[in-house]
Amino acid sequence: MTDKKDPTEPLNEIEYLIAGTRRDLVSVGTLWVTMMRAPLWVMCDREWDGKVADVPLNALTMNAENGLPEVLAVFTDPMRAEFALTKYPDYPRLNRIPAPMAFFQIGGERGLAVNPGGAFDLTIPPKVVDQLKEVFGPRLPAN
């Protein structure tokens, strides 16, 4: 028996919601609230120890192309980042971080790219990020 994950199938709740969002069956707000409770992975230039929340992580942002805004790249599973780890060698560390920590780095002029270039990718433009942060706030969920 193999533990190999199928990249064409959703790996977690967030990816199921992304699929639903693409078909207009799930709101971006529902996806946002769910992501707030989940760990995300970001590619950084160094390893994060997971202890100090305000450490400035030099995380991978993708530059604007074809009039699109800059986005922070986050991944829902380490497997989703495999292609990017080889494509962006200046960001060799994949760090698991709480989603709110990632969300503090977006808004204004920066959007969010979840699993960029993958089977379950979704880009949230900066304007929508600002609206979501205004409604739901980038805060840690209550346990």
Side-chain angles (χ1 to χ4, degrees):
M1 204 169 202
T2 180
D3 284 344
K4 183 86 172 135
K5 298 175 184 177
D6 181 351
T8 64
E9 293 293 324
L11 302 175
N12 52 49
E13 181 181 14
I14 294 172
E15 292 181 7
Y16 278 102
L17 291 174
I18 287 172
T21 301
R22 286 178 168 177
R23 291 183 291 217
D24 292 327
L25 300 173
V26 176
S27 74
V28 175
T30 299
L31 175 64
W32 179 271
V33 169
T34 302
M35 285 194 306
M36 290 293 284
R37 298 187 320 259
L40 295 173
W41 283 261
V42 294
M43 291 172 48
C44 301
D45 62 350
R46 66 186 178 282
E47 193 166 341
W48 179 56
D49 66 6
K51 295 177 184 169
V52 181
D54 64 351
V55 161
L57 292 174
N58 185 19
L60 173 66
T61 56
M62 298 177 157
N63 294 331
E65 296 176 0
N66 303 325
L68 298 175
E70 179 181 73
V71 292
L72 173 68
V74 299
F75 301 90
T76 56
D77 187 273
M79 183 188 79
R80 300 289 184 210
E82 287 176 359
F83 87 95
L85 286 167
T86 57
K87 187 174 180 178
Y88 300 99
D90 291 342
Y91 301 90
R93 300 282 187 229
L94 190 60
N95 290 304
R96 181 180 174 175
I97 65 171
M101 187 174 168
F103 294 168
F104 280 119
Q105 299 183 38
I106 58 176
E109 298 295 317
R110 184 181 290 166
L112 182 69
V114 183
N115 299 328
F120 294 90
D121 65 343
L122 181 74
T123 299
I124 303 175
K127 183 177 179 179
V128 175
V129 167
D130 288 340
Q131 292 169 348
L132 291 166
K133 287 172 82 170
E134 184 177 317
V135 172
F136 298 107
R139 60 191 176 275
L140 290 170
N143 289 332

